[in-house]
Amino acid sequence: MPDQLNDIKYVIEMAAEKAHAETSTEPEPELTQPLNWPIQCTLGPGLEGAIACESKIGYVNGTKGWLIYRGYDIFDLCANSTYEEVSYLLLQGQLPNTKELKAYKKKLIKYRPLNKTLRLLSGFPVEQMNVMGALRLGTNLMRQEFTYMDREEGRAPSVDAISSDEDSIPMETVPKGAKKATYEFKQEDPPKTKQEKQLQDACGIDACYHLISGVATITAAIARIRQGNMPIEPVPELSHAANFLYMLTGRKPTPIEERIMDISLILHADHGMNASTFAAMVVASTLSDIYFSVGSGIAALNGPLHGGANEQVVNMLKKIGNPSNVSAWLDKELKNKNKVVGFGHRVYKAYDPRARILGPLAELLVKDNHKAVSLFRIAKGLEKEVNVRLGAQKKIFPNVDFYSGIVYSCLNIPPEIFTPIFAVSRVSGWTARVLEYLQNNRIFRPRAMYTGEFNKKIMPRDQ
Ligand code: ACO
C-alpha cells in the first residue's frame, strides 16, 4: 500500500515538473501588489477585470496556469499535505504545527455529528429536493444547532427556541394578536461581560470549523437519504476525507481512495474571487452571519456555469461511447457551435493545474475498474482532439471538472453528489475569505447604468 501512496505523490511531482517547465516563474505585477484606493481598472460585463479587495489567501494566474494558497504551490500542497492542514492554512494564514493540527482536528471531529440538524432536515422531503437546495437548507439549520449546542454547554446567552422535536407551530384560530412564537434566530442581546464578548469573537472562527465539518456531514446524509438509507454516524478516528467517504458510502475507504479524496478536497478548497466566493462575501459584507454566507455560496455553486460540469462530463463521455467515435462527435459539436463540457475557463487560458493533477490520479484509479477505464480512454482521446483544434487557437484546455467526475465515479460517489463535494471542499475558501474581508469590511455596492426612460406619467386607468 505505501507503494501506491508513493505512486500518487510521484504522479503529482511529475505533473508539477511538467507545469513548471511550461510556465515562467514570475507573477503578474498588476495583480500582486498592495492597492492604493481609489484604483482604476478596465471592466467587462459581469465585473470582469474588477478588483474588489486585497487578499493574502490565494492567487490564480490564468495565463500561466498557477494556483497558490497562502504562498504555497497547489502541486506542493497536494503532494505533501492534507485537507485538514490546507483548510487550517487558508483560515489561519500558516500551516499548523503538530500541536495546532491536533487541536484543530479535535475541533473538526467534535463538530462532525449533527444529530439535531439532521433530525430537522429529515422533516423536509430531502429525497425529492434539488441536492444543493437540501445542502443549503442544512447549513441554515446548522445555525440552530450551534445555538442549542452553546446553550447546552452553558456558553451562550440563553434564547427561547422551538425545540427540534416540536412538530408544529401553534396558529391563532381567532386573530387576537397573542405573543408570537420566539425563534432561535432572533437577535441575541449584545455581550454584557468580557467572557460573553470573547465567546462571540470565538464564534467567528468556531462557526467556520463547524461549517467545514458540517457541510461534509450534511452532504453525506443527503446522499444516504436519497438512496433510502439512514445517515451514518461519523467515526472520530478517521481523517476528514476518509470519514466523509465512509459516511457517504458506508464503507471505510482504502488508503488510496482516502488520499485521492483528500487531494480532490485540497484542489477545490479555494479559487480566487469566483462566483460562489463572491456571493458569500457579498452576503457577509452586510454583516449577515457566516451560515447565511455559506448558504449563498452553495446557491451560486448550483449553477451549471460554475459547479456541476463534472456530472455532465461523465454523461458526455458515456454518450461518445468509444474512443474511435471522438473525432466525428467533436466535429459535429463544434460545427453546431456547442461548448464541450469540462473545457475552457474564464480565468485559465492555460492548462488548469487542477486538471493536470486529477488526470493522472484518474488514470491510477481506473486501472482496476473496467467500466471507468473505457471512459478514461475516451477522455484522453477527447483531450487530444480538443487540444489540436482549440488549444493553441483559442486557449481552450481541460478544466478541473474534466477528470474529477471520473475520479468520483471510481470512488463510488453518485453523480448528483459531485457538485455538493465541491461545496464540502470550498467551504474552507468561502469562510477564510469572508473572515479576511470582514477585517476591513465595506458593504459591496456596485452600480448599474440606467438605460430606461424618464419623465413617464401615470395615466388614469380609464384613459
Ligand atoms: N468548448 C468549445 N469552445 C469553447 C469552450 C468549450 N468548452 N469554452 C469556450 N469556448 C470558445 C467559445 O465558443 C468562444 O469562442 P468564440 O470566441 O469563437 O465565440 C471562446 O472560446 C470564448 O468563450 P467564452 O464563453 O467567452 O469564455 P468564458 O471565459 O466566458 O467561459 C466557461 C468560460 C463558461 C467555463 C466556458 O469555457 C464553458 O462554458 N465551458 C464548458 C462548461 C464547463 O466546463 N464549466 C466548468 C467550468 S470550471 C468551474 O467552474 C469549476
Side-chain angles (χ1 to χ4, degrees):
M1 212 48 93
D3 273 0
Q4 284 172 298
L5 290 177
N6 281 338
D7 284 351
I8 292 178
K9 195 167 149 86
Y10 177 75
V11 296
I12 296 172
E13 284 167 355
M14 287 299 98
E17 214 168 273
K18 192 157 186 277
H20 296 151
E22 286 175 16
T23 61
S24 67
T25 52
E26 293 303 314
E28 313 141 290
E30 68 280 15
L31 285 173
T32 50
Q33 50 187 299
L35 293 172
N36 199 0
W37 300 104
I39 57 160
Q40 291 199 330
C41 40
T42 307
L43 293 187
L47 293 181
E48 186 173 356
I51 310 275
C53 59
E54 276 183 33
S55 175
K56 291 188 165 41
I57 291 175
Y59 170 59
V60 183
N61 184 322
T63 38
K64 292 173 183 166
W66 292 2
L67 175 56
I68 288 171
Y69 300 164
R70 298 266 189 199
Y72 296 93
D73 185 26
I74 194 67
F75 292 101
D76 196 7
L77 290 168
C78 285
N80 299 305
S81 73
T82 62
Y83 180 72
E84 284 90 330
E85 289 170 300
V86 166
S87 53
Y88 184 97
L89 170 72
L90 291 171
L91 279 157
Q92 299 283 4
Q94 77 263 324
L95 283 167
N97 61 30
T98 310
K99 201 171 145 208
E100 288 163 341
L101 184 60
K102 200 171 159 203
Y104 177 54
K105 282 183 176 173
K106 211 169 144 192
K107 275 258 157 102
L108 292 184
I109 289 165
K110 176 181 151 195
Y111 286 139
R112 279 179 191 168
L114 286 182
N115 300 354
K116 284 172 185 156
T117 299
L118 296 186
R119 194 156 77 220
L120 287 167
L121 190 64
S122 63
F124 293 85
V126 172
E127 58 279 25
Q128 291 160 27
M129 288 175 76
N130 167 302
V131 196
M132 293 296 275
L135 182 58
R136 183 160 173 255
L137 171 64
T139 56
N140 231 319
L141 296 171
M142 278 178 72
R143 300 175 72 236
Q144 177 155 343
E145 168 120 1
F146 205 38
T147 310
Y148 277 122
M149 196 161 54
D150 286 343
R151 281 172 59 203
E152 276 168 12
E153 293 181 10
R155 298 191 307 155
S158 100
V159 284
D160 296 327
I162 292 178
S163 72
S164 55
D165 48 8
E166 195 167 323
D167 57 7
S168 67
I169 297 173
M171 297 174 83
E172 287 185 292
T173 46
V174 181
K176 289 183 188 150
K179 200 166 172 279
K180 65 179 178 189
T182 313
Y183 291 88
E184 65 288 354
F185 302 146
K186 79 168 190 183
Q187 187 78 37
E188 288 179 10
D189 296 333
K192 292 188 194 77
T193 63
K194 198 174 158 208
Q195 205 185 6
E196 278 180 7
K197 168 83 174 71
Q198 275 169 348
L199 167 72
Q200 210 173 64
D201 292 345
C203 273
I205 192 80
D206 258 49
C208 299
Y209 298 166
H210 187 222
L211 279 157
I212 288 173
S213 280
V215 172
T217 300
I218 297 173
T219 298
I222 292 169
R224 298 279 303 172
I225 294 169
R226 286 175 67 88
Q227 292 160 351
N229 297 320
M230 297 279 285
I232 300 177
E233 285 270 329
V235 174
E237 292 73 34
L238 295 180
S239 69
H240 189 72
N243 177 63
F244 173 59
L245 280 176
Y246 170 68
M247 289 193 299
L248 195 64
T249 62
R251 182 178 62 79
K252 287 190 183 157
T254 63
I256 305 301
E257 291 168 333
E258 172 186 359
R259 185 66 188 125
I260 289 184
M261 185 73 236
D262 196 30
I263 292 168
S264 302
L265 294 177
I266 295 172
L267 282 174
H268 290 85
D270 185 67
H271 206 243
M273 293 284 278
N274 57 86
S276 59
T277 300
F278 187 50
M281 289 170 68
V282 170
V283 170
S285 80
T286 68
L287 300 185
S288 183
D289 67 47
I290 192 85
Y291 295 88
F292 278 133
S293 296
V294 165
S296 317
I298 292 169
L301 195 55
N302 181 52
L305 292 187
H306 192 5
N310 46 11
E311 191 180 340
Q312 291 175 51
V313 169
V314 172
N315 293 336
M316 171 183 78
L317 297 175
K318 283 182 183 161
K319 207 168 135 198
I320 296 172
N322 195 298
S324 60
N325 297 339
V326 166
S327 185
W329 178 89
L330 184 61
D331 280 343
K332 199 169 147 210
E333 291 298 300
L334 295 182
K335 201 170 149 219
N336 291 336
K337 304 233 171 290
N338 290 336
K339 286 191 180 157
V340 189
V341 269
F343 288 86
H345 196 275
R346 170 55 60 83
V347 178
Y348 289 119
K349 300 303 166 198
Y351 206 112
D352 184 332
R354 302 166 299 174
R356 281 192 197 266
I357 294 174
L358 283 168
L361 292 186
E363 190 168 11
L364 280 182
L365 271 177
V366 299
K367 267 187 193 152
D368 307 320
N369 187 323
H370 174 67
K371 241 164 125 187
V373 88
S374 80
L375 282 192
F376 183 77
R377 285 197 190 118
I378 299 167
K380 277 312 261 185
L382 185 58
E383 180 186 337
K384 205 169 146 203
E385 290 288 336
V386 173
N387 193 23
V388 171
R389 293 171 213 203
L390 303 173
Q393 188 203 348
K394 288 196 182 175
K395 310 262 179 250
I396 304 285
F397 301 100
N399 60 44
V400 66
D401 282 336
F402 190 57
Y403 287 108
S404 63
I406 297 181
V407 167
Y408 296 154
S409 301
C410 291
L411 297 175
N412 294 319
I413 297 171
E416 72 272 18
I417 303 301
F418 292 178
T419 308
I421 290 181
F422 205 140
V424 168
S425 165
R426 186 58 59 84
V427 63
S428 55
W430 290 333
T431 50
R433 287 193 181 253
V434 161
L435 286 197
E436 181 188 57
Y437 187 75
L438 287 177
Q439 285 167 21
N440 285 305
N441 183 46
R442 187 139 199 248
I443 187 167
F444 281 102
R445 184 65 170 88
R447 299 199 61 177
M449 186 68 72
Y450 177 70
T451 53
E453 297 173 65
F454 289 97
N455 300 324
K456 292 180 94 174
K457 293 273 177 289
I458 296 175
M459 296 293 281
R461 200 167 297 281
D462 58 4
Q463 290 175 35

